[in-house]
């Protein structure tokens, strides 16, 4: 029997191959047919009369609110009775005013499922018999010519699990539908992934063959997911169809035993949840996409609701690290920037390191995806640098600098430090993107790059101060060293005071938590500064009063924080380094390995177009290497906020985080910086302008239009280099290498 020889796909059209799995029993030989098909966008003639969410809210009686769920259904919630409904509380409200009526997709003869699975070991363990049928012969006779294709273990098991006994099943599966030996075809087909998975009738996620524990895990997760609805602002409410009305609440303990949580943890540790390609595969799929174990199925939407509600709960028997990758898969990505997608997928595995980019490219903003060619002949640095420069051009920001630097322990000498090494597992950053810092305000990057000097990037920024003292890297777990670092730093530095005049202990707590406190981000389960002060005080006081051999004072104090908050702080504080600058400010950088631990003499810069401060290392040539992003408690570019304004982080209706300025006296809120508004006039040639935010726009942006030329920018002209220097800000042009 000869190996199957692929026929070339048409390069001029969106042609793909489809596999028809022919009927058979579990242990029968795997028989398939391979056909060519052209991808055609679905026809959807349905028009919706549904009102915008804001308009629906206006129609509700007092005490009711309207929310949009992750599946984009409108959910009505009675705040007083704490019940929800899919039906508007007013019987006079037309049904189509709040319910979308979509016709089913018309596949124009192209009806298939797309398979998502983990490749596993590549060695062939089985064969698929490729049956060729010559149709149209008189009398419906068929002449069969059989060839074979080798199958790795996982795809062989998946096809046996998915095969029907009584009918055929048409699927798209990358291992068989792409000629893996043809790199040009492989690149072209990767470019069609968005169309393939979005046009499939549904995505079928094969997690493995079924075991009794998997069946029970799916049953428990189904039960949990059916009790709740998760909204696009990530609020969680009881489902109208729920049987357990209080399961949505974060403080409600679920009625499962330790053994049941352990099998759920084992289920969530399946390799599929840690693979890079699955991010776009599941998010491009339809609402009917499913998870499959053997013959057991669970709707992806139900699974997602279960994971999101579990992430808010204090289930002590469920270890939070098992939720990390599944939780990242369950977040909204449709409006995400490419940087967000890359960072949230940073620890996911792939065989080819270039797939860190290519594996999520279908989810990237179209303006960027269209300009990044899938080319497996290009070097790894070339691929990553192309993405950096394209994002810089489209957004007019240098967002990726926060993810770059020497601190990645596997950095090689020839690697350009301003390009993130997305291939490294565990890229650690100091300040999570969700904390919405604006170190450089809403400023555009003034970066320059020339092909003649490919390893250099010119940037503009403010030199803040050099590092003069470090505590050293905290390599152990949070609870072991947090209190020790706090009290030792207080003893050594409190007497010097702090440049802003604030209590040094409050400053240090903000530094050690990178300001992840309820005072700045209310309503997200963080501890307040006051609570943290009580906890560190208890650790020091209790140590003198309690026999450490029996009670360990630090652990007792540590447990006063919620498990969710402890998990966040553990990830933030571990492998970090506390430092003080020559002008008296305190900061912290995370992810510093031993090779670059000696950061004394490194300099803190605020670079225009970068939301967080950067620690840069001077070189003998006068250029700078990027060490990484850092947190410094203070304001360099614009100075402190005027009293009584404070900065907080909040989320909007789509779950996107943004900074908000709160007047602590009268409660007024504003998204505009009070250090600029009413204090520094907008240049006369510019005016504020309203337009929908684009996916290529950065998180921190505001639109202005030039009155004369009509040019629209997404940055504040009051923060241009010329405007800043005119106000006395000492900016410098430096070169990163």
């Amino acid at each position: 029997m000869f190996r199957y020889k692929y026929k070339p796909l048409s390069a001029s059209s969106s042609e793909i191959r489809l596999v028809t799995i022919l009927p058979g029993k579990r242990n029968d030989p795997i028989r398939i047919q391979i056909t060519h098909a052209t991808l055609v966008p679905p026809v959807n003639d349905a028009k919706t009369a549904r009102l915008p969410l804001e308009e629906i809210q206006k129609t509700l009686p007092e005490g009711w609110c309207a929310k949009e769920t992750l599946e984009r259904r409108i959910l009505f919630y009675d705040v007083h009775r704490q019940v929800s409904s899919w039906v508007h509380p007013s019987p006079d409200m037309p049904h189509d005013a709040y319910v979308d009526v979509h016709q089913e997709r018309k596949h124009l003869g192209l009806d298939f499922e797309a398979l998502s699975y983990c490749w596993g070991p590549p060695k062939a363990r089985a064969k698929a018999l490729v049956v060729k049928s010559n149709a149209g012969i008189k009398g419906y006779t068929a002449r069969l010519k059989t060839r074979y294709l080798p199958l790795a273990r996982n795809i062989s098991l998946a096809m046996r699990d998915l095969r029907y006994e009584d009918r055929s099943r048409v699927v798209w599966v990358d291992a068989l539908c792409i000629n893996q030996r043809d790199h040009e075809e492989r690149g072209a087909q990767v470019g069609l992934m968005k169309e393939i998975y979005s046009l499939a009738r549904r995505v079928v996620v094969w997690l493995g063959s079924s075991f009794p524990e998997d069946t029970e895990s799916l049953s428990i997760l189904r039960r949990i997911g059916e009790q709740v609805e998760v909204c696009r602002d990530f609020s969680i409410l009881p489902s109208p169809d729920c049987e357990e009305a209080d399961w949505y609440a974060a403080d409600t303990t679920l009625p499962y035993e330790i053994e049941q949580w352990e099998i759920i943890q084992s289920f969530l540790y399946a390799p599929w949840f840690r693979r890079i390609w699955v991010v776009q595969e599941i998010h491009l799929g339809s609402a009917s996409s499913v998870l499959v174990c053997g013959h057991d199925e669970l709707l992806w939407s139900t699974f997602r609701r279960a994971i999101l509600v579990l992430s808010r709960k204090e289930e002590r028997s469920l270890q939070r690290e098992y939720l990390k990758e599944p939780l990242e898969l369950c977040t909204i990505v449709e409006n995400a920037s490419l940087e967000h997608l890359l960072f949230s997928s940073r620890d996911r595995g792939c065989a080819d390191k270039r797939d860190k980019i290519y594996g999520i490219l279908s989810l990237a903003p179209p303006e960027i995806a269209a300009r990044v060619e899938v080319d497996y002949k290009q070097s790894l640095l070339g691929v990553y640098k192309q993405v950096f420069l394209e994002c810089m051009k489209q957004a007019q920001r240098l967002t990726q600098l926060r993810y770059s630097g020497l601190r990645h322990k596997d950095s090689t000498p020839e690697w350009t430090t301003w390009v993130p090494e997305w291939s490294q597992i565990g890229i650690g950053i100091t300040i999570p993107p969700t904390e919405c810092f604006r170190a450089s305000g809403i400023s555009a990057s003034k970066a320059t790059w020339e092909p003649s000097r490919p390893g250099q990037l010119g940037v503009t920024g403010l030199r803040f101060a050099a590092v003069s003292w470090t505590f050293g890297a905290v390599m152990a777990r949070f609870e072991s060293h947090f209190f020790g670092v706090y009290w030792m730093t207080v003893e050594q530095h409190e007497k010097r005071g702090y440049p802003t005049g604030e209590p040094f202990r409050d400053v240090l707590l903000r530094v050690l938590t990178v300001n992840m406190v309820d005072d700045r981000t209310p309503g997200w389960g963080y501890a307040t500064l006051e609570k943290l002060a009580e906890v560190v005080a208890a650790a020091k006081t209790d140590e003198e009063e309690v026999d450490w051999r029996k009670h360990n004072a630090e652990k007792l104090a540590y447990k006063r924080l919620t498990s969710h908050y402890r998990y966040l702080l553990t990830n933030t504080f571990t492998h970090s380094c506390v430092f003080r600058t020559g002008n008296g400010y305190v900061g912290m950088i995370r992810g510093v390995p031993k090779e670059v631990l000696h950061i004394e003499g490194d300099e803190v810069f605020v670079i225009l177009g970068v939301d967080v401060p950067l620690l840069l290392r001077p070189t003998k040539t006068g250029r700078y290497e990027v060490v990484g992003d850092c947190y410094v408690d203070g304001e360099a570019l614009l100075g402190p906020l005027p009293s009584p304004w404070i900065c907080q982080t909040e989320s909007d209706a789509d779950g996107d985080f943004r900074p908000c300025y709160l007047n602590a006296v009268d409660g007024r809120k504003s998204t505009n910086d009070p250090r600029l508004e009413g204090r520094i006039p907008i240049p006369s040639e510019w005016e504020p302008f309203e337009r929908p935010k684009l996916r290529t726009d950065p998180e921190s942006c505001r639109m202005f239009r030039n009155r004369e030329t009509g040019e629209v920018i997404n940055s504040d002209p009051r923060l241009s280099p010329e405007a800043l220097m005119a106000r006395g800000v000492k900016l410098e042009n430096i070169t990163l290498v």
Side-chain angles (χ1 to χ4, degrees):
M1 188 183 301
F2 297 101
R3 183 183 177 117
Y4 178 79
K5 184 177 181 180
Y6 287 99
K7 290 183 178 180
L9 293 168
S10 172
S12 60
S13 64
S14 300
E15 190 174 43
I16 63 170
R17 298 185 186 93
L18 292 175
V19 166
T20 301
I21 307 175
L22 299 177
K25 295 184 178 180
R26 172 75 187 182
N27 295 322
D28 288 347
I30 298 173
R31 299 169 63 248
I32 64 173
Q33 291 179 341
I34 297 179
T35 55
H36 289 204
T38 301
L39 292 169
V40 179
V43 176
N44 192 340
D45 298 326
K47 295 182 180 179
T48 177
R50 198 179 89 172
L51 298 173
L53 183 63
E54 300 78 13
E55 295 300 317
I56 295 175
Q57 181 65 47
K58 295 177 183 178
T59 67
L60 293 173
E62 184 178 355
W64 284 82
C65 66
K67 300 270 189 175
E68 187 175 23
T69 69
L70 293 180
E71 293 77 34
R72 294 198 175 278
R73 297 181 69 184
I74 297 298
L75 181 69
F76 301 100
Y77 185 64
D78 186 329
V79 178
H80 301 302
R81 295 169 53 224
Q82 295 185 336
V83 295
S84 59
S85 173
W86 297 121
V87 181
H88 195 285
S90 172
D92 298 329
M93 188 68 176
H95 187 70
D96 60 0
Y98 59 88
V99 175
D100 272 333
V101 181
H102 292 295
Q103 292 181 347
E104 293 184 3
R105 281 180 178 171
K106 296 179 181 178
H107 292 276
L108 301 179
L110 191 59
D111 188 1
F112 66 98
E113 299 169 295
L115 183 62
S116 177
Y117 69 107
C118 184
W119 272 48
K123 186 175 181 180
R125 297 290 185 182
K127 294 179 180 179
L129 304 180
V130 185
V131 177
K132 181 178 179 181
S133 175
N134 288 337
I137 298 177
K138 188 176 180 179
Y140 300 99
T141 60
R143 180 167 54 88
L144 302 180
K145 292 184 178 180
T146 303
R147 298 290 185 264
Y148 81 90
L149 280 174
L151 298 178
R153 180 178 183 275
N154 278 6
I155 186 59
S156 173
L157 292 173
M159 295 184 76
R160 291 185 184 278
D161 284 341
L162 298 176
R163 177 171 55 183
Y164 296 131
E165 291 189 8
D166 57 349
R167 63 190 187 278
S168 299
R169 189 169 191 172
V170 181
V171 299
W172 185 91
V173 50
D174 53 2
L176 298 176
C177 294
I178 300 176
N179 183 357
Q180 300 295 328
R181 295 179 171 182
D182 186 336
H183 287 285
E184 289 188 6
E185 179 184 299
R186 183 180 166 198
Q189 289 290 288
V190 168
L192 292 175
M193 288 293 189
K194 182 173 184 178
E195 288 77 13
I196 291 171
Y197 279 89
S198 60
L199 295 181
R201 178 162 49 85
R202 66 175 183 172
V203 173
V204 177
V205 176
W206 183 80
L207 297 174
S209 295
S210 180
F211 294 94
E213 296 83 0
D214 297 321
T215 300
E216 185 174 5
S217 295
L218 288 172
S219 176
I220 293 173
L221 292 169
R222 180 182 297 107
R223 175 73 172 166
I224 296 172
E226 288 175 347
Q227 309 310 310
V228 301
E229 291 295 334
V230 181
C231 303
R232 294 185 67 81
D233 62 359
F234 284 104
S235 59
I236 300 178
L237 299 174
S239 171
D241 309 312
C242 71
E243 297 177 357
E244 306 291 346
D246 60 346
W247 280 21
Y248 79 99
D251 57 356
T252 298
T253 301
L254 301 181
Y256 298 109
E257 304 296 330
I258 294 178
E259 294 77 13
Q260 292 171 301
W261 291 123
E262 287 177 347
I263 66 171
I264 288 178
Q265 288 175 175
S266 178
F267 174 82
L268 297 178
Y269 205 67
W272 181 85
F273 292 107
R274 286 154 183 81
R275 181 172 167 258
I276 187 73
W277 287 96
V278 308
V279 180
Q280 66 178 18
E281 290 168 358
I282 193 61
H283 281 286
L284 291 172
S286 69
S288 58
S289 297
V290 292
L291 303 180
V292 174
C293 272
H295 296 291
D296 297 319
E297 291 188 1
L298 174 63
L299 276 173
W300 165 253
S301 57
T302 304
F303 171 83
R304 179 165 62 172
R305 294 197 297 269
I307 294 300
L308 289 169
V309 74
L310 286 176
S311 71
R312 304 280 183 90
K313 288 186 173 292
E314 286 287 307
E315 297 292 344
R316 297 188 181 276
S317 299
L318 180 61
Q319 300 179 43
R320 304 201 73 84
E321 53 263 34
Y322 288 93
L323 286 174
K324 180 178 179 293
E325 283 81 10
L327 182 60
E328 289 172 348
L329 270 179
C330 293
T331 57
I332 299 173
V333 301
E334 61 197 49
N335 295 318
S337 67
L338 182 55
E339 288 88 354
H340 173 83
L341 294 170
L342 287 166
F343 180 67
S344 63
S345 305
R346 64 195 180 280
D347 294 335
R348 298 187 178 278
C350 56
D352 191 313
K353 293 180 179 180
R354 286 163 291 200
D355 286 339
K356 286 284 189 172
I357 302 294
Y358 300 153
I360 59 172
L361 195 58
S362 293
L363 297 175
E367 298 87 348
I368 294 176
R371 298 181 66 87
V372 177
E373 182 183 0
V374 179
D375 181 5
Y376 284 97
K377 297 177 182 178
Q378 192 175 10
S379 71
L380 185 64
L381 177 58
V383 173
Y384 291 1
K385 186 184 294 182
Q386 179 191 13
V387 169
F388 181 102
L389 295 172
E390 191 57 44
C391 289
M392 178 185 79
K393 177 182 177 181
Q394 294 286 344
Q396 294 297 300
R397 299 293 193 276
L398 293 167
T399 305
Q400 290 189 38
L401 280 182
R402 72 188 302 170
Y403 306 112
S404 62
L406 291 167
R407 60 182 166 192
H408 308 316
K409 62 182 180 180
D410 293 329
S411 292
T412 53
E414 63 271 16
W415 193 274
T416 304
T417 66
W418 49 270
V419 177
E421 289 190 76
W422 298 112
S423 59
Q424 301 300 330
I425 299 295
I427 291 180
I429 64 171
T430 306
I431 303 174
T434 53
E435 296 308 303
C436 297
F437 280 61
R438 282 184 179 173
S440 66
I442 305 179
S443 64
S445 65
K446 295 300 177 181
T448 57
W449 178 84
E450 298 177 7
S452 60
R453 295 181 294 173
Q456 299 181 20
L457 183 73
V459 299
T460 301
L462 171 69
R463 186 196 310 264
F464 180 65
V467 174
S468 61
W469 170 90
T470 65
F471 185 88
V474 179
M475 308 304 290
R477 301 294 288 178
F478 172 85
E479 63 269 28
S480 303
H481 282 73
F482 182 86
F483 302 112
V485 170
Y486 176 83
W487 285 113
M488 291 179 68
T489 306
V490 165
E491 291 170 4
Q492 294 183 48
H493 294 273
E494 186 174 30
K495 291 181 180 179
R496 291 178 55 187
Y498 204 68
T500 63
E502 296 174 273
F504 183 81
R505 298 188 181 193
D506 287 352
V507 169
L508 187 57
L509 284 175
R510 289 200 296 265
V511 169
L512 297 181
T513 61
V514 293
N515 215 354
M516 290 169 53
V517 293
D518 185 75
D519 311 65
R520 190 181 194 279
T521 310
W524 280 86
Y526 296 170
T528 62
L529 271 179
E530 183 180 2
K531 177 68 174 180
L532 283 170
E534 292 175 1
V535 169
V536 294
K540 186 175 178 64
T541 303
D542 291 348
E543 191 171 10
E544 300 172 355
E545 300 176 353
V546 181
D547 184 356
W548 67 269
R549 296 179 183 273
K550 295 181 179 179
H551 297 288
N552 192 322
E554 292 180 349
K555 286 188 176 180
L556 289 176
Y558 180 59
K559 289 183 178 179
R560 296 187 183 189
L561 304 173
T562 66
S563 63
H564 172 64
Y565 192 56
R566 294 200 306 264
Y567 176 75
L568 292 176
L569 292 190
T570 297
N571 288 339
T572 300
F573 185 70
T574 305
H575 300 288
S576 61
C577 180
V578 178
F579 61 83
R580 191 157 195 173
T581 61
N583 57 358
Y585 286 82
V586 178
M588 186 172 76
I589 182 170
R590 179 174 180 257
V592 181
K594 295 180 181 178
E595 302 92 278
V596 292
L597 179 60
H598 304 292
I599 62 175
E600 293 92 342
D602 291 351
E603 299 177 2
V604 178
F605 269 82
V606 175
I607 304 296
L608 296 187
V610 184
D611 286 336
V612 295
L614 296 177
L615 197 62
L616 305 182
R617 177 161 299 173
T619 68
K620 294 179 181 179
T621 63
R623 302 182 180 98
Y624 288 86
E625 295 176 320
V626 179
V627 178
D629 78 310
C630 61
Y631 175 86
V632 179
D633 201 81
E635 294 285 352
L637 196 67
L638 294 176
L641 286 169
S643 179
W645 291 93
I646 60 175
C647 184
Q648 293 185 333
T649 300
E650 64 178 18
S651 62
D652 58 23
D654 281 329
D656 294 328
F657 293 92
R658 63 182 180 184
C660 174
Y661 300 95
L662 171 69
N663 187 306
V665 174
D666 58 23
R668 283 183 295 134
K669 287 186 176 182
S670 174
T671 57
N672 297 324
D673 196 323
R675 290 170 294 189
L676 295 174
E677 300 306 307
R679 293 170 176 260
I680 300 175
I682 299 171
S684 58
E685 65 270 25
W686 294 95
E687 62 180 353
F689 182 69
E690 295 290 335
R691 72 155 168 81
K693 183 178 177 182
L694 306 176
R695 287 190 61 192
T696 50
D697 286 326
E699 291 295 329
S700 298
C701 67
R702 185 181 175 189
M703 309 306 161
F704 290 85
R705 182 173 59 185
N706 190 293
R707 298 176 187 271
E708 298 178 0
T709 66
E711 177 191 5
V712 176
I713 59 175
N714 60 14
S715 58
D716 196 321
R718 291 169 291 186
L719 297 178
S720 69
E722 297 78 14
L724 287 168
M725 288 189 289
R727 297 200 299 272
V729 180
K730 297 179 179 180
L731 297 179
E732 301 178 39
N733 295 320
I734 62 174
T735 300
L736 305 180
V737 293

